[in-house]
Amino acid sequence: MQKLFAYPLSVLYFICFGLCIVIFHPIQWFGFKVFGYKGLKNTVDALQFFLMLCLTVLGTRISFYNPYDISTDKPLIIVSNHQSMQDISPIMWYMRKHHVKFVSKKELGKGVPSVSYNLRHGGSVLIDRKNPRQALPAMIKFGEYIESTNRAAVIFPEGTRSKDGTPKPFKTKGLEILIKKTPSALIVPITVNNSWKTLRYGKFPMGIGNHIKFKVHKPLEIINFTNKTELIQQVEQTIVEAIEN
């Protein structure tokens, strides 16, 4: 019965989602061309709020638990498990004061209104996961950018989303580069729960009535760890242990 209700609600959700990204695309363009980075940043933040609002059509609730007062005077490396595309907007919205940027696959750099424009112009990095000769220099440049601007890089080390919430082993190469190139950064682990349930039936219909939870764990200073492998293992363990089965 729940799946039956999911069909009309999913249609309504996709209409709302599509309208948001189409309407905000020219707003982003105008904001960037007229007001520069600040104009783009403000419109992108607003877009994330409305994209989360769209999820209420599906009966989706979002909780973002962050008990820490994280400084904006240091760069951040936000490390998270990855369960669906619904992971992205809440992280961008609730961590917006840190100017969140993403490590994203190059395919998203074109063809998606609003999303592609922000990825190309907002400071994120687009990598070809099949081409290390392109990906490695891009990650190095991205790390240097985060270090110099005190902004936040978000990386999903699993590489691809988990379809049932079960975490995949971290692929650490990209994270290792970011750690090396942003030595003054704080690493902020985040655990995402229940996001995968929005895709429990596949791409259509969407899952309904879900409670997506985000938990921010204690930030870790890179400079306090001489062994970076142990640091990455600790981050992975912290994230995985908080995943609800």
Side-chain angles (χ1 to χ4, degrees), residues 16-17 22 34 42 62-64 103 108-109 115 119 128 135 142 155 162 182 192 206 212 221 238 245:
C16 293
F17 179 88
V22 168
V34 177
N42 289 338
I62 296 173
S63 297
F64 199 97
V103 178
L108 291 176
V115 175
L119 288 174
D128 184 350
F142 183 54
I155 185 169
S162 169
T182 57
V192 182
M206 299 283 287
I212 304 176
E221 293 200 50
T238 298
N245 296 322

Side-chain angles (χ1 to χ4, degrees), residues 128-190:
D128 184 350
R129 290 180 292 186
K130 298 179 182 179
N131 182 6
R133 294 183 63 182
Q134 181 273 337
L136 292 179
M139 287 295 295
I140 290 171
K141 185 176 180 180
F142 183 54
E144 293 171 345
Y145 165 77
I146 295 299
E147 175 74 13
S148 65
T149 57
N150 287 337
R151 290 173 182 167
V154 177
I155 185 169
F156 300 118
E158 291 168 290
T160 57
R161 63 180 178 84
S162 169
K163 295 181 180 180
D164 61 0
T166 303
K168 297 181 179 181
F170 277 16
K171 298 176 182 179
T172 61
K173 187 64 177 179
L175 183 53
E176 289 170 2
I177 293 173
L178 286 180
I179 288 174
K180 182 177 180 180
K181 293 299 176 179
T182 57
S184 66
L186 294 173
I187 291 190
V188 182
I190 295 181

Side-chain angles (χ1 to χ4, degrees), residues 14 24 33 88-89 103 107 109 135 155 178 218 222 226 228:
F14 282 119
F24 269 91
K33 293 297 183 181
I88 294 172
S89 288
V103 178
E107 291 82 358
I155 185 169
L178 286 180
K218 183 178 180 180
I222 291 176
T226 55
K228 300 306 186 283

Side-chain angles (χ1 to χ4, degrees), residues 16 20 34 51 53 61 64 93 151 161 178 195 223 233:
C16 293
C20 277
V34 177
L51 290 180
L53 195 62
R61 293 180 295 142
F64 199 97
W93 173 254
R151 290 173 182 167
R161 63 180 178 84
L178 286 180
S195 175
I223 59 174
Q233 289 174 345

